[in-house]
Amino acid sequence: MSTLSRVSNTMPTSLSCIDLTVTGALDAATVLGIRQESAKAATDGPILVLLDVAAVTTVGASGVVGLLEVLHLLRARGGDLRLFGSSAALEITRLQAHLGQVTRIYGTREEAVDGGLGPGRARHLAPGFRWHRLFPRRRRTLGWS
């Protein structure tokens, strides 16, 4: 049994934001709750959804796919979904499903709010990120066989 709870917002950001906490399983039912809360909050404009995943114990495939759908929904409206907290279950899934190429899991809420760009912090690229995929080089042939 998993629970989703709303947390009071204590830190200002350039986007309005809501805090959600997932406890237990991250599955289709939980993601449905995240999607509903996110869509309701995004009706007034772009929103930053901060999702605390520290208490996630299991992750289903439907949970991963559902998070990607929520992420797409929010980004299409000018917002974002940022996960934070240390969950072994989600960390293992992130590596297996290559979620690191789409989003990253921040260590703390503060890092999630500022996107890892706070004073003195360098932003790290997602594991497996390859610049050449964004900027492919042309291969030149010199006419040699």
Side-chain angles (χ1 to χ4, degrees):
M1 177 84 181
S2 63
T3 58
L4 175 67
S5 57
R6 211 168 191 175
V7 182
S8 63
N9 182 9
T10 58
M11 183 175 291
T13 65
S14 58
L15 289 174
S16 24
C17 68
I18 63 168
D19 288 75
L20 300 173
T21 302
V22 177
T23 305
L26 181 61
D27 53 14
T30 306
V31 172
L32 181 61
I34 294 168
R35 185 182 178 109
Q36 290 172 345
E37 288 287 329
S38 300
K40 185 172 29 172
T43 57
D44 297 333
I47 189 84
L48 173 62
V49 176
L50 300 169
L51 186 61
D52 184 354
V53 294
V56 169
T57 55
T58 60
V59 180
S62 59
V64 173
V65 171
L67 280 182
L68 293 175
E69 289 174 355
V70 172
L71 180 67
H72 178 72
L73 169 88
L74 291 170
R75 287 185 177 170
R77 296 179 179 179
D80 201 5
L81 171 67
R82 297 187 186 161
L83 288 61
F84 70 95
S86 178
S87 165
L90 194 57
E91 191 66 28
I92 290 168
T93 303
R94 183 179 73 118
L95 295 173
Q96 291 174 351
H98 302 286
L99 280 175
Q101 295 178 8
V102 179
T103 188
R104 72 181 266 211
I105 301 172
Y106 297 90
T108 65
R109 183 184 184 281
E110 291 76 23
E111 290 174 359
V113 168
D114 69 18
L117 295 175
R121 276 189 233 132
R123 183 169 188 155
H124 297 283
L125 297 174
F129 181 84
R130 302 288 183 256
W131 280 105
H132 65 76
R133 290 183 184 160
L134 290 177
F135 304 105
R137 287 187 257 167
R138 289 187 187 171
R139 291 189 173 192
R140 295 184 185 172
T141 58
L142 300 174
W144 296 318
S145 305

